[in-house]
Amino acid sequence: MTLSAHAPAPDVPDATARPEWPDATGHFGVYGGRFVPEALVAALDELTEAYEAMRVDPEFVAEFARLQRDYTGRPSPVTEVARFAEHCGGARVLLKREDLNHTGSHKINNVLGQALLTKRIGKTRVIAETGAGQHGVATATAAALMGLSCTVYMGEEDTRRQALNVARMRLLGAEVIPVTTGSRTLKDAINEAFRDWVTNVETTNYVFGTVAGPHPFPAMVRDFQRVIGDEAREQVLEREGRLPDVVLACVGGGSNAIGIFTAFVPDAGVRLVGLEAGGDGVDTGRHAATITGGDPGVLHGARSYLLQDDNGQTIESHSISAGLDYPGVGPEHAFLHDIGRAEYRPVTDAEAMEAFALLCRTEGIIPAIESAHALAGAMVVGRELGPDSLLLVNLSGRGDKDVETASAWFGLGEHTAPTDDDERAVEAGRGAEPGPGLDEDQQPTEGAVTNDEAVAGPDAGEQA
Amino acid sequence: MSGAPEDDGGVSIAASASERGAERSRSRGSALAAVIGKARADGRAALIAYLPVGYPDVDTSIAAMVAAVEGGADVVEVGVPYSDPGMDGPVIQEAVDVAVRAGVGMPDVLRAVEAVAAAGAVPVVMSYWNPIERYGVDRFADDLVAAGGAGAITPDLIPDEAAAWLAATERTGLDRVFLVAPSSTDARLAATAAASRGFVYAASTMGVTGTRATVSDAAERLVARTRSVSGTAVCVGLGVSSGDQAAEVAAFADGVIVGSAYVRALLAGEGPDGVRVLSEELAAGVRRARVRT
């Protein structure tokens, strides 16, 4: 026997190898776990067990691969953006094009997996939370495809910012429930979805949208999203013959970032940089930079970093990007931060919008405002590293949904640099009329079971 | 605002509190088990009232808790306001939201605990886990002992994640109440009941808190299943709003927990007097049914 015959080829990633975390009960170091009412433990155990069986089931693996190829359009390409890179200190910049996926973002990767799992455990109704609406659209899409009834909880504030996606979800047959509690954004939509789930758990599966929440969601969503990094690592190696120096992604809950980071975690020479939403600036207190500006605590079923006050109350986050406007973050990011494997930096609204405009003008690609945070990070890191460096940026979504917000930010569609009127413009965008997306008449998913028997979260405590 | 008190006497208070706690765990045992046992000896179930601190303001909420005791509550769950009460329905959310926005925190909660104890009932804190963790688990335990609290109910903390809380309650002798649900497996029922001290909280209906017209018989089955694996008292929450329902639950449970109905009285502007009237009705209810033993 010779060593070389058995040594793994160093540049071939093993897509089935998972990081050594989390442990069997979902802990990433001190983070993660399950901080949930006992009423949900049985459902979480059922999900964990069914998922562990499914992920190694050849039939599932084949079906999931077929959907990714034929429905989502994977693999997504890698695009070099040379004109944009001129603004990045001459560093070379490659974009992983998750914006080209069906439904317009990386969210579809996860929901197809969870929808297959829902069918496998015999449940007929899915619920989801959504911030920017991308996860809600993706879930509504998968529900339509697989004949599942679908309810999406969305903060009322976000239904205004993302009226287009509300309309898309309703066209796809989903019921969209605007959430009017708390800050009326993603965090409150998650609370409402959990209330729905604890009430309707016998028929309903919660399709969680990010790598946060109680075990098994952080590990399961990572498994479904890691295809981003698995593909990108291979694509970069093939075209460049080397790995990137830095991999960058925006971080709200953190699923697109974990998706592209995971394949590179064992590559010690590759820096992993997560860009958090700095809002008006971390020192103003109006931001969503959870790791940069928060502390460890418990929120939405897991221990991780969160924005909280002295009483342990969650602080409302602020970001121009609805998808990053979340005061928590996935526990694996907290862990990667603490062990020093990944670094997290804030990007302000203004910096993100500058990068947003730049990519539009230099490359003809309109990014999601979420993804523009990663682009802004590339502009900074590229200037730090200089012309020989190679940056891989996850372009996690496209910006169609953000056209109204961007138009308001830049002043009625004029592509000018941000001005002193920015704040007023943002408020104008946020206050925009909800539009046709909020029509009351909704058509159910063709062939789906009825939603009528389910008790919606807002009413769950008021039955009878 | 009263944030985190770091007064000079903190260390000695904590030390004496911890000594008292240890003394209690040696000599007195569980304060909750004692009051529930006394009710049982009287041939009735205990009445456990929940009210959140800080609605409509701290002083009125404390007055409402005292009124609940005067009306006949044996135990008061002193609710810690929390920004993300995932297990509570709209009634409690509405009240708690006011308290959260007013900055109500643990010092106010401890003051309420003292008032309930002075009124002659057993105070037990009801809190989601993050406010306790933020305050400091050991500091919370010591200050709760000093205030005369029996322990805490932690609706989003399962024993699997409770190592720090188990240690703090062992050290101080405080009660720790965990929840069981109809979906809990027999193994989890046994483990959760074994980890609990004072009583086991049976969340009777799958769902969040809120008043319901009928009390599900799922509650009776859950109580029976829990009793088959544990000798700890079992109290039923989530659903009771009237004296008749209290009597119905009291027929099979060691204690009847009422939350949303009390809060609804405050939301309706009935004030502490309305709480007292409701308490009298519920207290009569838990005395109408003979407790099965």
Side-chain angles (χ1 to χ4, degrees), chain A residues 25 27 32-43 45 181-183 187-188 191-192 194-196 198-202 295-300 303 306 308-316 457-464, chain B residues 1-4 81-91 93 97 100-101 103-107 129-131 133-135 155-159 161 179-181 183-185 188 192 205-214 264:
Chain A
T25 50
H27 296 91
R34 278 183 185 168
F35 293 81
V36 295
E38 171 68 21
L40 286 179
V41 171
D45 278 343
T181 53
S183 59
K187 129 185 138 60
D188 310 283
N191 290 337
E192 219 54 60
F194 270 114
R195 289 187 187 108
D196 182 312
V198 78
T199 305
N200 302 297
V201 66
E202 282 173 27
D295 312 283
V298 169
L299 176 66
H300 291 148
R303 176 174 286 115
L306 64 132
Q308 58 179 325
D309 68 13
D310 289 343
N311 289 328
Q313 314 294 359
T314 311
I315 295 174
E316 292 174 12
D459 301 323
E462 299 278 57
Q463 47 185 309
Chain B
M1 211 202 77
S2 56
Y82 180 50
S83 53
D84 296 271
M87 227 194 136
D88 286 307
V91 173
Q93 280 180 57
D97 191 52
V100 167
R101 288 176 193 280
V104 174
M106 213 55 93
W129 185 242
N130 198 54
E133 188 164 291
R134 183 66 166 176
Y135 190 76
D156 63 345
L157 184 72
I158 55 178
E161 300 284 354
L179 277 64
V180 293
S183 61
S184 304
T185 61
R188 283 199 65 83
T192 303
T205 309
M206 295 301 286
V208 297
T209 56
T211 52
R212 294 175 176 84
T214 56
R264 197 183 286 277

